[in-house]
Amino acid sequence: TLPGKLPQRKITTGAAAGYSSYGNQIGLATGKVVEIYDEDFVAKRMEIGAVVAAAPRENVVRKSAEAGDIIILLGGRTGRDGCGGATGSSKEHDEESIFTCGAEVQKGNPPTERKIQRLFRKPEVAKMIKKCNDFGAGGVAVAVGELADSLLIDLDAVPKKYEGLDATELAISESQERMAVVISLDDKEAFLKAAAAENIEAAQIAEVTDSGRLIMVWNGVRVANLSRDFLNTNGIRQKADVLVKAPKKEDTYFDSFIENDSNIDIGKKWLTNLSDLNVCSQKGLVERFDSTIGAGTILMPLGGKHQNTPQEGLAMKLPVLQGDTDTAVLMSYGYDPKISKWSPFHGAMYSIVEAASKIVALGGDYKNIRLTLQEYFEKLGKDSSKWGKPFSALLGACFAQEKLGIAAIGGKDSMSGTFKDLNVPPTLVAFALAISDVGRVVSREFKKDNSKVVLLPAAIMEDGSPNFDNLKENFDHVSRLIDQGKVLSSSAVGMGGIAAAVSEMCFGNMIGFKFGKEIGAE
C-alpha cells in the first residue's frame, strides 16, 4: 500500500465487483475474463476490455443532420459526477488525487442502460435515428456538439439530478447513462412515446440550424457562441521529438528462460511456472460474471467437465431476436507486459500475433480478423525517450498488421499511467474479432485418451520477430484441419509457455499428458 493510494487488494476486488455487477445487470454475456499482472501496474491499475455489439443491417441508418432536425437526450439525468472525467483520466496522479479527483468518476446506472438497449433494438426506433452519440468524454459539449455543424443547445432543457448546476457543469458533466440522437422534427412525438414505453426519460435539448455556429443558452443567456470553422481546426498543432531506444540484446526476453543446468528440477520449475499470477487459475474472478445471458454462449469461459480449462476467447452466437443463427462471434486478446517492457515494438507486435493465434485456435480465419488496439502508457511530457515507447509500439503493431494483412478499425489510448515516480509498463493490448460458423468452433480442453498432440512452432528471426510466412502457413494449416474435423482441441502458446498450455488443456477433463522423446521446435 502506497501513501495516497488505496491498497491494491481493495482496488482489484472492488473493480471486479463493480464491472461484473454492471455487466450482469445490463444483460451482457461475458465470455472471457482475465486479469494481467505486473508489478508496474501498482502505479495505476489497468482495466480494459471490449464488447461486441450487433444490429440488423437495415436498422443501421447513416444520415446527416439537416437544419430543422432536433436532438433528443434520453436516459439518465445530469449531475456533477463525471465533471472533468476525461481530462481526469489523463492526469498524472499523486498523494492528493485521492482527495480531489473523486468527483471526476461517473456513477454507473445499469438499469437505465438496459432500457436504452431495449429501445434501440426496436426497428421502428432505430430507423428514426439519423445520428447518435453516447455521453462519454466532454458531456453535452462533445456528445451533442459532434452531431451537426450548426447547433442551438438549450442547457436549461437538460434533465438534472438536482438543482444548482451551472452552465459549465451542465455542458461538461459525463453522468451516465445518456444518449443524444438526431431525429426529424416530424418523428419527435413517436420517438418520445417509444422512450416513455420503456420508462426512459427523454427531452429535446437542441435543434440543428444553418448558422455555422455552436451556440449554448443558459437562463436566457448565450454562454457559448463558437464558429464551427474554428472548432474544426482541432486547435493548435503540437509536435514532439521522439527517441526510440533499441532493446538490449543481453536483456532479451526470449533468452531469460533458457537454463542449461542438467540438474534442474523440472517438476519444481513446472509448478513455479503454474503459480505465476499470469498463469494460475483465475476461476474466482471468472465466476463473478454470467456467461449464459441470452442463451447464445457457445463456449463457457472455463471448459471441460470440471470447468478448469480457460478458453482462448469469447465464442457467442449473434444475438438475433427472432429465429436462430449458426453465425459465431469470436473475440480474444493479446498482451505480455514482460515482452513490452523489454521492447514496446516487440510487445505490440506479439500482442497482435497472440490475439490472431487465439482466434485461429478457436476456429476462426486470421484473414477475416479485425482489431481494436487499446494503449496505456506513462505520462509523456516533453521527454523524447518516453514518446519513443508509444511510437515504437505503434510501429510494431503496424508491422504485424501489414505482415498478416489485417486491419485495426478502432482503439483507445491513455497516456496517464504515472503515479509520482512510478509508471505502468508500455501497454498495447490487441483485441481480435472474427466471424465464424458455430460448427467450426473448437474448445481448448483435451477430449479423450490416446489423442495425439502436435506442436506447430513458428521460427523466431534474429530480430526477435516471428517468421510471418511460417506463421501464416501454420494458421492456414490449422484452419484446414479444423475444416476437415480433425482437431479435437487447440490452444495458442502464450504466457507460461508450453508447460502452461498443456497443463490447462489437461485440467478441464482431468486427462493426463505424456511428452514424446523429442519436441520439434526451432
Side-chain angles (χ1 to χ4, degrees):
T1 302
L2 302 174
K5 289 195 73 175
L6 294 170
Q8 288 296 108
R9 181 181 295 273
K10 170 66 175 176
I11 296 171
T12 301
T13 56
Y19 65 85
S20 61
S21 171
Y22 191 98
N24 294 343
Q25 286 186 70
I26 67 171
L28 181 69
T30 309
K32 178 70 175 176
V33 183
V34 63
E35 288 194 340
I36 299 171
Y37 292 94
D38 187 87
E39 59 271 13
D40 288 342
F41 283 125
V42 171
K44 265 191 172 183
R45 171 184 165 81
M46 176 178 72
E47 186 179 307
I48 59 177
V51 175
V52 183
R57 183 176 297 180
E58 62 269 19
N59 287 3
V60 181
V61 176
R62 294 179 178 179
K63 294 182 178 179
S64 298
E66 300 175 351
D69 289 341
I70 61 172
I71 294 174
I72 302 286
L73 185 156
L74 68 151
R77 294 189 174 194
T78 301
R80 290 190 178 92
D81 54 301
C83 283
T87 52
S89 68
S90 298
K91 287 179 182 175
E92 178 181 345
H93 285 185
D94 56 29
E95 294 99 328
E96 298 301 315
S97 300
I98 196 171
F99 303 110
T100 60
C101 297
E104 295 171 353
V105 181
Q106 307 97 323
K107 296 177 181 177
N109 189 343
T112 298
E113 175 71 16
R114 182 60 177 167
K115 294 175 189 176
I116 294 173
Q117 285 181 3
R118 285 200 304 262
L119 177 68
F120 278 31
R121 292 188 82 180
K122 294 179 177 179
E124 66 274 18
V125 173
K127 292 173 183 177
M128 289 185 210
I129 300 172
K130 293 185 173 185
K131 296 182 76 173
C132 176
N133 261 344
D134 73 320
F135 279 73
V140 167
V142 175
V144 178
E146 289 179 339
L147 290 174
D149 285 340
S150 306
L151 288 161
L152 176 60
I153 301 172
D154 182 5
L155 294 176
D156 294 312
V158 175
K160 298 181 285 290
K161 294 181 179 179
Y162 34 76
E163 295 302 319
L165 291 145
D166 64 23
T168 301
E169 291 165 333
L170 288 167
I172 69 169
S173 168
E174 297 169 22
S175 292
Q176 306 293 295
E177 312 299 326
R178 300 178 297 160
M179 303 290 279
V181 298
V182 179
I183 62 172
S184 168
L185 180 61
D186 296 336
D187 292 328
K188 178 179 178 179
E189 184 178 346
F191 190 92
L192 294 178
K193 185 177 179 180
E198 290 289 353
N199 197 24
I200 300 174
E201 286 192 82
Q204 178 183 337
I205 66 164
E207 63 179 87
V208 180
T209 67
D210 56 5
S211 66
R213 304 190 73 81
L214 170 66
I215 299 171
M216 291 188 188
V217 176
W218 180 64
N219 287 346
V221 177
R222 289 188 175 184
V223 293
N225 188 349
L226 297 169
S227 164
R228 175 58 63 173
D229 290 336
F230 167 71
L231 291 175
N232 289 345
T233 64
N234 293 319
I236 191 169
R237 292 180 64 87
Q238 298 190 55
K239 296 181 179 180
D241 292 326
V242 176
L243 174 63
V244 177
K245 295 182 178 180
K248 297 178 181 178
K249 286 190 176 182
E250 59 268 26
D251 296 335
T252 301
Y253 172 77
F254 303 100
D255 294 333
S256 63
F257 296 113
I258 297 175
E259 297 186 39
N260 296 317
D261 186 357
S262 60
N263 297 317
I264 189 170
D265 185 338
I266 289 291
K268 185 177 180 180
K269 292 289 289 184
W270 194 286
L271 293 175
T272 300
N273 182 46
L274 292 183
S275 67
D276 184 287
L277 283 176
N278 286 316
V279 179
C280 69
S281 173
Q282 296 186 12
K283 192 171 186 177
L285 171 68
V286 172
E287 290 186 339
R288 287 175 175 264
F289 297 80
D290 190 341
S291 61
T292 64
I293 297 168
T297 304
I298 300 170
L299 295 181
M300 297 289 282
L302 298 169
K305 180 171 67 175
H306 299 275
Q307 294 194 352
N308 280 328
T309 298
Q311 301 294 0
E312 291 289 33
L314 169 152
M316 301 274 183
K317 286 187 175 184
L318 281 173
V320 295
L321 288 172
Q322 295 179 341
D324 199 5
T325 179
D326 290 325
T327 301
V329 177
L330 308 176
M331 183 167 69
S332 197
Y333 78 97
Y335 174 63
D336 187 322
K338 289 186 175 63
I339 299 179
S340 298
K341 286 199 289 188
W342 170 66
S343 166
F345 180 95
H346 289 79
M349 175 180 63
Y350 275 103
S351 290
I352 291 174
V353 168
E354 181 184 2
S357 299
K358 290 176 178 177
I359 291 294
V360 173
L362 282 166
D365 184 345
Y366 84 92
K367 301 181 189 73
N368 297 329
I369 287 174
R370 295 296 180 268
L371 301 165
T372 173
L373 307 180
Q374 301 201 16
E375 304 145 44
Y376 191 31
F377 289 85
E378 64 198 275
K379 190 77 173 179
L380 303 178
K382 307 242 181 231
D383 189 326
S384 60
S385 62
K386 290 183 178 181
W387 277 92
K389 294 176 183 179
F391 181 81
S392 58
L394 290 172
L395 285 178
C398 185
F399 178 72
Q401 287 175 248
E402 288 185 343
K403 290 291 186 180
L404 293 174
I406 56 180
I409 59 172
K412 188 165 185 170
D413 66 81
S414 177
M415 306 296 163
S416 65
T418 294
F419 180 84
K420 297 187 68 179
D421 58 346
L422 300 176
N423 298 314
V424 298
T427 304
L428 188 148
V429 180
F431 289 91
L433 175 69
I435 299 296
S436 186
D437 186 86
V438 169
R440 294 188 83 254
V441 175
V442 179
S443 61
R444 196 167 172 231
E445 68 281 355
F446 290 138
K447 306 299 189 302
K448 61 182 182 180
D449 296 349
N450 298 316
S451 301
K452 291 183 179 179
V453 181
V454 179
L455 175 68
L456 291 176
I460 302 296
M461 312 296 282
E462 284 189 16
D463 62 4
S465 65
N467 182 321
F468 278 96
D469 291 335
N470 185 191
L471 186 66
K472 289 188 286 187
E473 288 174 2
N474 287 349
F475 285 169
D476 288 333
H477 188 52
V478 171
S479 293
R480 282 194 300 270
L481 291 173
I482 290 174
D483 282 333
Q484 294 166 10
K486 294 182 178 180
V487 179
L488 298 177
S489 311
S490 58
S491 173
V493 178
M495 284 192 282
I498 295 172
V502 166
S503 298
E504 290 175 342
M505 295 174 82
C506 289
F507 293 152
N509 287 317
M510 290 302 177
I511 292 175
F513 180 88
K514 184 178 180 181
F515 280 96
K517 291 183 179 180
E518 295 182 5
I519 301 176
E522 295 181 18

